[in-house]
């Protein structure tokens, strides 16, 4: 089939066997890698084996956040109470809907919930590609002005409650890595990423500078 995607199963299985942490672009690929590893263990005649370290990108970020929280609880150098709380996707969605429904534009919106979802998507993209509010404000589009207002409301609420959302999590991890508040994995293998955003590249560079061996495995398109 044209466009079918294959991935380097043997290389990923070998990396896992050597103790690497494999980070995939999505949950589906993470499950496929786990299954491939299980099949390899069965072919080798094993009946039991340690669970391989395979995480999707978002699960990887969340694990790093939790690791920093856990480290703070056992460290005298960091006040755990000052670390932010990570919003769940549903909590972040509710905050965006609140920002939309309490704005002056709410009465003119036919579908406030849909508008909130679009605003949340725009927020994620603006952080992923480092589009700062000052640059967005230069646009004369009314939709952009509305988004900036909703984003300011969302940001203000998060700041006042010390909440962190998925859009800003990679940048927060970079800060913690630079401050040596987060122990990085010795070897990280990233698989299935067709494109890397500036935000992702920044985090990978921080991991590399902190001592991680970073590898990228590209998915190949074949006929």
């Amino acid at each position: 089939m044209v466009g079918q995607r294959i991935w380097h199963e043997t290389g990923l299985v070998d990396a896992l066997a050597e103790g690497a942490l494999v980070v995939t672009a999505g949950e589906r690929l993470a499950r496929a890698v786990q299954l491939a590893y299980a099949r390899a263990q069965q072919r080798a005649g094993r009946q039991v084996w340690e669970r391989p370290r395979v995480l999707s990108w978002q699960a990887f970020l969340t694990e790093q956040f939790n690791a920093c929280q856990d480290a703070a609880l056992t460290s005298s150098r960091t006040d755990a109470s000052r670390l932010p709380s990570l919003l769940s996707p549903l909590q972040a969605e509710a905050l965006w809907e609140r920002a939309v429904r309490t704005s002056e534009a709410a009465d003119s919106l036919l579908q406030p919930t849909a508008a909130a979802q679009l605003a949340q998507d725009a927020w994620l993209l603006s952080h992923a590609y480092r589009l700062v509010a000052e640059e967005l404000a230069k646009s004369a589009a009314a939709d952009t002005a509305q988004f900036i207002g909703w984003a300011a409301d969302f940001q203000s609420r998060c700041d006042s409650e010390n909440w962190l959302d998925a859009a800003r999590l990679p940048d927060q991890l970079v800060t913690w890595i630079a401050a040596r508040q987060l122990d990085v994995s010795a070897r990280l293998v990233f698989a299935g990423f067709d494109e890397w955003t500036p935000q992702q590249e920044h985090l990978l560079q921080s991991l590399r500078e902190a001592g991680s061996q970073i590898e990228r495995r590209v998915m190949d398109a074949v006929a």
Side-chain angles (χ1 to χ4, degrees):
M1 180 183 296
V2 176
Q4 179 181 2
R5 292 191 176 280
I6 62 173
W7 47 279
H8 306 288
E9 177 177 316
T10 303
L12 292 178
V13 168
D14 289 345
L16 288 169
E18 294 163 2
L21 170 57
V22 171
V23 181
T24 65
E27 292 289 348
R28 184 176 179 181
L29 181 55
R31 291 192 294 269
V33 174
Q34 290 171 343
L35 181 59
Y37 186 82
R39 287 197 297 257
Q41 300 308 303
Q42 291 170 346
R43 288 195 297 268
R46 300 184 181 92
Q47 294 183 334
V48 295
W49 53 84
E50 291 187 11
R51 183 180 179 87
R53 301 181 68 208
V54 184
L55 296 170
S56 68
W57 172 258
Q58 198 56 51
F60 169 69
L61 297 180
T62 301
E63 182 187 76
Q64 300 306 296
F65 174 86
N66 291 335
C68 188
Q69 295 280 43
D70 292 343
L73 291 173
T74 58
S75 173
S76 59
R77 296 178 299 171
T78 306
D79 183 1
S81 66
R82 298 181 61 184
L83 295 178
S85 298
L86 183 62
L87 294 173
S88 70
L90 286 177
Q91 289 172 325
E93 184 178 331
L95 279 182
W96 277 106
E97 187 161 350
R98 173 189 175 277
V100 170
R101 289 187 180 278
T102 57
S103 68
E104 294 181 358
D107 292 339
S108 64
L109 296 173
L110 295 177
Q111 296 180 308
T113 298
Q117 291 171 345
L118 289 173
Q120 186 173 10
D121 291 343
W123 176 254
L124 286 165
L125 286 172
S126 67
H127 282 79
Y129 289 93
R130 303 196 174 284
L131 303 176
V132 297
E134 290 77 8
E135 291 297 320
L136 293 175
K138 295 178 182 178
S139 171
D143 289 348
T144 302
Q146 284 186 348
F147 166 70
I148 291 174
W150 295 335
D153 183 279
F154 178 84
Q155 178 79 64
S156 176
R157 186 69 186 275
C158 287
D159 290 345
S160 65
E161 300 293 343
N162 198 22
W163 291 334
L164 180 66
D165 70 306
R168 295 175 295 142
L169 177 54
D171 296 326
Q172 182 61 68
L173 292 178
V174 168
T175 299
W176 286 336
I177 292 170
R180 306 298 181 186
Q181 293 177 259
L182 181 61
D183 293 330
V184 300
S185 298
R187 183 182 177 193
L188 289 163
V189 180
F190 294 88
F193 292 83
D194 294 326
E195 178 184 357
W196 291 88
T197 68
Q199 187 184 49
Q200 289 175 321
E201 291 283 9
H202 190 201
L203 177 55
L204 261 63
Q205 183 60 31
S206 297
L207 289 166
R208 189 179 292 109
E209 291 174 355
S212 287
Q213 177 186 340
I214 303 295
E215 302 172 32
R216 306 191 199 195
R217 303 291 174 92
V218 179
M219 305 276 283
D220 297 326
V222 297

